[in-house]
Amino acid sequence: MSELPPRPRQLAFDLPVDSRHGVEDFLVGASNEAAYGLIERWPAWPEAWLRLTGPEGAGKTHLAAIWARSAHAWTIPARELSEAQVPHLVSGGALVIEDCDAGALDEHALFHLMNAIKARGGFLLLTARRPPDLWGLGVPDLLSRLRLAPAATIEPPDDGLLKALLVKLFIDRQLVVDIAVIDALAMRMERSFAAARQVVDRLDKLALERGRRVTRPLVQEALAELFPQDAG
């Protein structure tokens, strides 16, 4: 009896993932409940602006999108801010500026915008991975103002939130996995939002390439590939 030919490998394409940014899709845990509470407290903020800080992939964009929907705010990346845009941006009454510590920030434009937002009675949400002392700012008045700004910080996820995030990420990719897979991942992977997205993305691609479900052996392979220093 002749052997069956090997199953052909499927190609994995980088297709868009259904990552929803509604309030009902935001997972609240001990690491982010304080930040979520401040966002929900709007417009009763202690100041016209709020800093939202957290590691890569922590959900800053998701929280900003929730607030933007409530406040009817516009959203722009910090690198696109310029002095010429300030009057237009302030006219909306509410604004999100994302990735303020990513470089190429027009400091004078941001200082001018903060003054104009406050004078108009508007609101401003600033997102960044790090506190303002680490943004490399050269305008002392801006740095001082940002240091004093109310801040909401997202911490690394606890065990419960990490597992819930993994489940959500698999669902976003329309993958059904056993709870044992979630437990195995949470036990061995780096405890961060970014690592959770990275490992689920890799498992999605591996499962498609191999034509297999996401199983514990596949998890071990993905973890050994992504975090070789922790393997063994």
Side-chain angles (χ1 to χ4, degrees):
M1 183 175 178
S2 61
E3 293 184 1
L4 293 174
R7 173 180 289 179
R9 289 167 60 92
Q10 297 188 53
L11 297 177
F13 297 98
D14 287 320
L15 299 176
V17 174
D18 180 18
S19 183
R20 295 173 290 274
H21 281 166
V23 64
E24 69 279 2
D25 301 304
F26 188 79
L27 303 174
V28 180
S31 65
N32 61 17
E33 61 184 349
Y36 180 78
L38 273 172
I39 293 295
E40 286 287 285
R41 204 172 300 158
W42 178 86
W45 284 358
E47 183 55 274
W49 39 75
L50 177 72
R51 285 194 292 106
L52 178 58
T53 305
E56 179 185 353
K60 299 185 297 297
T61 293
H62 192 159
L63 261 186
I66 291 171
W67 179 75
R69 193 171 294 113
S70 297
H72 303 289
W74 296 333
T75 300
I76 67 164
R79 65 178 180 276
E80 294 183 6
L81 179 63
S82 68
E83 286 272 9
Q85 289 179 306
V86 168
H88 172 67
L89 294 174
V90 170
S91 70
L95 180 68
V96 177
I97 302 180
E98 290 207 286
D99 301 320
C100 291
D101 59 340
L105 174 66
D106 187 329
E107 298 179 41
H108 294 284
L110 179 56
F111 190 74
H112 180 193
L113 183 132
M114 293 177 78
N115 287 335
I117 281 280
K118 189 164 188 175
R120 189 187 190 281
F123 294 92
L124 174 65
L125 179 63
L126 304 164
T127 76
R129 291 170 298 167
R130 300 166 296 177
D133 287 277
L134 301 177
W135 294 8
L137 299 176
V139 177
D141 288 345
L142 176 62
L143 178 58
S144 176
R145 177 171 294 179
L146 290 170
R147 282 173 174 166
L148 295 173
T153 303
I154 301 177
E155 304 293 345
D158 58 19
D159 191 61
L161 182 58
L162 181 62
K163 290 181 180 181
L165 175 62
L166 288 168
V167 170
K168 180 183 184 298
L169 292 172
F170 280 120
I171 290 174
D172 286 346
R173 290 160 175 77
Q174 300 181 348
L175 293 172
V176 178
V177 298
D178 189 83
I179 188 63
V181 168
I182 301 297
D183 290 340
L185 279 171
M187 185 180 302
R188 291 190 53 200
M189 64 177 284
E190 176 188 306
R191 306 188 69 77
S192 73
F193 297 96
R197 286 172 169 80
Q198 185 183 19
V199 76
V200 170
D201 181 66
R202 185 59 187 141
L203 281 168
D204 186 11
K205 289 181 170 64
L206 281 175
L208 182 58
E209 289 173 358
R210 309 287 172 78
R212 294 165 51 191
R213 293 176 59 248
V214 176
T215 58
R216 292 189 70 169
L218 208 63
V219 164
Q220 293 171 355
E221 181 179 343
L223 289 174
E225 177 185 325
L226 295 172
F227 311 110
Q229 68 277 9
D230 298 327

